[in-house]
Amino acid sequence: MMIFSTSLTAEKTRRIFMVFFVLASLLPFLLIIFVIFQYVLPLLAPDQINSLREIFAYSLMAALLIPLLSFFLMSRWIGSLEALTEDVKSKSAQIYKEEKEFKEENEILTLIRYFDAIFQTATDHLAEQKHLKELLSSLIAVAYDLTAELDFDRLFPLIIGKVTEAMSAERTSLYIIDWERHELWTKVAEQVEQIRLPLGKGISGRVAESGEMLNVADAWELPYFDRTFDREHQFRTRSVLCMPIKNHVGEKIGILQVINKKGKERFDSEDEIFLKALTSQVGIALENSLLIEELLLSFNSSIRTLSAMVDARHPLTAGHSQRVTDYSLLIAREMGLSKDEVETLKYAAILHDIGKIGIRDAILLKNGQFTPEERAEMNTHPVKTKAILDKFHFPKGMQEVPDIAVHHHEKVNGQGYPDGLTGDQLPLGSKIMTVADVFDALTSRRDYPKYASGETLNGDPMPLPMAISILKKEAGTHFDPDVVAAFLSCLPQALLLYRGDHFPPEYVDDMIRSLAPDLLP
Ligand SMILES: [Fe+2]
Ligand SMILES: [Fe+2]
């Protein structure tokens, strides 16, 4: 529309120009004609007038031709000018268009940059989500492993291992708070003894007291940091993240401390969040485990009380069941029994004579030898033990306790009671208890005479060498030879357990000195 109206204006201008040009060109000639007709012709002769007319006609023609020719030439010139103008306009339009396109291209670039930024942000978010997913998976896996382990002794190193791995740390320390003693305690793998620290001292002690998390890049810069461990173990503690472990009601029960973040200067805010999540899982696992430990302690003390009540019925059997248990456990460890087998044996040994609760006082407390009837009644105590223990609910994996306890008076040659089982039919736990039970009966005072090598002794403890010779002599008939060998291997430890208590030092020292002189104080 704009181009059309521009062309129309140009055409009109050209016509106006043409009219004015012709008129301007003719005006001098018309003036000359007017002067000639008015002033010259009246003065001339007729033949001169004709000649003048011819000159005038030729001049007029020339005068007409010149404007036309000029007009033609001017038109061409104006055409060129218009073409040039159009060209300039066209070029201008092109430049404008290019500029516009350039601007548009610039906007596209900006748009691309925006998209690139959005894409980068989305990629970052995806990477972050992936990382968070990995952390969450790791947390769930750790939580699952920790809550599945209820045994405190196994849980402790499990927590340390899992947290060290999950936090990418070089070391982890786990402390339990003992509020009664105002101390923290921890265990080092394979070491039975606890390491104890006063509350309020060092990093862990301070965090335990304040309940506030501590995150430092270099522990050595803290004036209260104890460098003893570093010096003794050629270790350099740098970054430390330390947090309190709380139970389900928010009470502080322990401290979790991760040391030296791998690949980084220090633990960051993400580590803090992750360790906080971990400590809540550790808190649940520890609380469950400690609760079970408490229940187990309560269960064990009930059983010991029950066993002690039976032993206490006769003044000479006091402490018998506990000693049989301790000797049995020494043998079991010497023979490499599993933890569950040892636990089962422990309950069987502590309760092995509980059936005596069903034996009349007249027989149980009789001073002297039994009649055959009395002996028969006395020999029912293992079956009574089993009947009582069958009513107990023992922890999982310890259902064999009654069967092991009932056979503590069996002999490997099948001459024992109540079932006359032979060595290959007897549970190993029963064969271990048999050796422990007889050894304690021989080395304790009894109100019936003892017999050795055909001689009748009194009821006093049998001299140790004599008791040991009986064990050796009856290995293969009464006792399992492997169990006797295992017991003799740990005999110094067994004697040391009750030296100064059940055993007077003069009773055991020669034997301990001959077998393991280093053990004597
Ligand atoms: Fe017994
Ligand atoms: Fe016994």
Side-chain angles (χ1 to χ4, degrees):
M1 190 68 184
M2 178 66 85
I3 293 167
F4 174 70
S5 64
T6 306
S7 301
L8 201 68
T9 308
E11 186 64 26
K12 195 179 171 184
T13 308
R14 189 191 295 187
R15 282 179 187 169
I16 292 166
F17 175 75
M18 185 183 74
V19 170
F20 272 99
F21 185 79
V22 170
L23 287 174
S25 302
L26 288 177
L27 195 63
F29 287 98
L30 291 174
L31 190 65
I32 291 167
I33 290 169
F34 173 72
V35 170
I36 289 170
F37 273 85
Q38 191 67 30
Y39 300 104
V40 178
L41 281 182
L43 299 174
L44 295 176
D47 57 340
Q48 286 177 315
I49 292 171
N50 286 337
S51 297
L52 191 63
R53 278 179 182 162
E54 281 177 22
I55 292 166
F56 179 74
Y58 285 124
S59 299
L60 187 63
M61 283 174 67
L64 286 171
L65 278 173
I66 288 166
L68 285 173
L69 189 62
S70 300
F71 174 73
F72 175 72
L73 290 172
M74 286 296 284
S75 295
R76 288 291 302 269
W77 179 74
I78 288 170
S80 298
L81 197 64
E82 281 183 336
L84 184 64
T85 308
E86 284 301 319
D87 194 31
V88 169
K89 281 161 84 177
S90 167
K91 292 282 182 195
S92 300
Q94 183 68 26
I95 289 165
Y96 172 76
K97 191 183 170 191
E98 279 178 7
E99 188 181 336
K100 194 179 174 190
E101 278 176 1
F102 177 72
K103 280 182 180 171
E104 282 170 357
E105 192 185 339
N106 213 19
E107 283 163 8
I108 288 166
L109 275 174
T110 308
L111 207 58
I112 287 169
R113 278 190 211 102
Y114 280 135
F115 273 118
D116 193 43
I118 291 166
F119 181 73
Q120 190 58 47
T121 310
T123 309
D124 291 346
H125 277 298
L126 278 173
E128 194 180 345
Q129 276 191 346
K130 193 183 168 200
H131 179 59
L132 286 173
K133 196 179 164 189
E134 284 170 0
L135 284 179
L136 196 60
S137 302
S138 167
L139 182 66
I140 291 167
V142 172
Y144 179 81
D145 289 345
L146 295 188
T147 46
E149 182 57 75
L150 296 172
D151 184 295
F152 187 79
D153 289 339
R154 286 196 289 254
L155 180 65
F156 212 91
L158 187 71
I159 290 172
I160 289 173
K162 293 284 175 187
V163 171
T164 306
E165 187 188 346
M167 292 298 299
S168 298
E170 285 182 13
R171 276 187 53 232
T172 296
S173 301
L174 172 63
Y175 294 93
I176 306 296
I177 303 175
D178 184 342
W179 288 110
E180 284 183 15
R181 293 173 62 173
H182 213 62
E183 287 177 339
L184 292 177
W185 64 266
T186 187
K187 296 201 315 181
V188 177
E190 305 301 322
Q191 285 183 19
V192 179
E193 279 188 29
Q194 297 171 353
I195 297 169
R196 287 188 166 263
L197 304 167
L199 220 60
K201 288 202 171 177
I203 293 178
S204 306
R206 280 174 173 250
V207 170
E209 204 167 57
S210 69
E212 298 294 323
M213 177 197 77
L214 188 94
N215 186 357
V216 288
D218 191 352
W220 279 34
E221 289 179 0
L222 299 175
Y224 52 82
F225 178 71
D226 184 2
R227 301 183 187 183
T228 311
F229 179 90
D230 283 14
R231 274 197 288 269
E232 287 176 357
H233 296 84
Q234 284 83 50
F235 188 77
R236 174 65 167 90
T237 302
R238 291 184 304 278
S239 53
V240 172
L241 179 57
C242 189
M243 268 187 206
I245 303 166
K246 294 179 180 175
N247 65 10
H248 72 286
V249 289
E251 294 167 343
K252 291 172 282 180
I253 57 169
I255 295 295
L256 198 57
Q257 179 178 259
V258 281
I259 297 161
N260 292 357
K261 176 78 179 178
K262 286 181 184 168
K264 283 188 185 173
E265 288 281 307
R266 61 180 303 164
F267 295 93
D268 57 21
S269 55
E270 189 182 89
D271 292 318
E272 289 178 5
I273 295 167
F274 192 50
L275 187 65
K276 199 167 185 181
L278 276 174
T279 50
S280 55
Q281 295 304 319
V282 168
I284 293 167
L286 272 179
E287 196 176 24
N288 286 344
S289 170
L290 288 169
L291 201 63
I292 284 176
E293 188 100 331
E294 193 87 5
L295 281 173
L296 215 56
L297 267 174
S298 171
F299 180 68
N300 286 344
S301 71
S302 303
I303 281 178
R304 280 204 176 84
T305 306
L306 208 58
S307 152
M309 279 167 63
V310 176
D311 289 347
R313 281 187 67 198
H314 195 298
L316 295 182
T317 54
H320 166 70
S321 296
Q322 187 60 56
R323 289 192 298 276
V324 170
T325 304
D326 290 335
Y327 300 154
S328 296
L329 295 184
L330 278 173
I331 299 169
R333 291 195 185 104
E334 183 71 24
M335 296 185 83
L337 268 68
S338 69
K339 193 176 178 187
D340 281 351
E341 288 172 325
V342 170
E343 282 293 294
T344 304
L345 179 58
K346 184 179 84 180
Y347 289 117
I350 196 77
L351 294 167
H352 75 280
D353 276 338
I354 198 170
K356 284 183 178 173
I357 209 160
I359 305 296
R360 290 179 293 130
D361 280 357
I363 296 168
L364 195 73
L365 303 177
K366 182 175 178 181
N367 189 354
Q369 271 196 290
F370 290 134
T371 64
E373 293 75 24
E374 288 168 342
R375 167 55 62 193
E377 186 176 340
M378 187 63 181
N379 287 1
T380 61
H381 80 269
V383 177
K384 288 188 165 77
T385 289
K386 185 174 186 310
I388 294 167
L389 295 188
D390 278 341
K391 292 184 172 58
F392 266 69
H393 179 77
F394 287 102
K396 198 180 166 189
M398 292 176 199
Q399 277 73 30
E400 285 184 37
V401 171
D403 287 331
I404 291 173
V406 72
H407 294 126
H408 72 272
H409 282 295
E410 299 282 4
K411 294 180 179 179
V412 293
N413 62 5
Q415 301 293 307
Y417 64 93
D419 296 321
L421 299 182
T422 54
D424 54 342
Q425 296 170 315
L426 287 164
L428 179 59
S430 304
K431 294 190 279 190
I432 289 173
M433 265 171 43
T434 304
V435 172
D437 189 47
V438 171
F439 178 75
D440 186 64
L442 293 176
T443 54
S444 302
R445 214 168 77 76
R446 287 290 185 266
D447 52 13
Y448 50 83
K450 295 191 170 84
Y451 306 94
S453 308
E455 52 178 323
T456 304
L457 307 170
N458 57 27
D460 288 338
M462 189 179 276
L464 259 181
M466 196 178 282
I468 289 160
S469 72
I470 287 177
L471 294 182
K472 286 179 180 173
K473 188 180 161 197
E474 297 193 13
T477 52
H478 189 164
F479 311 113
D480 182 309
D482 292 338
V483 175
V484 172
F487 181 60
L488 295 178
S489 297
C490 57
L491 184 63
Q493 286 82 4
L495 299 176
L496 212 60
L497 271 179
Y498 288 98
R499 180 184 181 272
D501 178 13
H502 180 64
F503 296 134
E506 59 272 19
Y507 182 76
V508 292
D509 280 3
D510 285 347
M511 183 63 72
I512 297 173
R513 198 173 290 114
S514 68
L515 296 171
D518 295 343
L519 290 181
L520 274 178

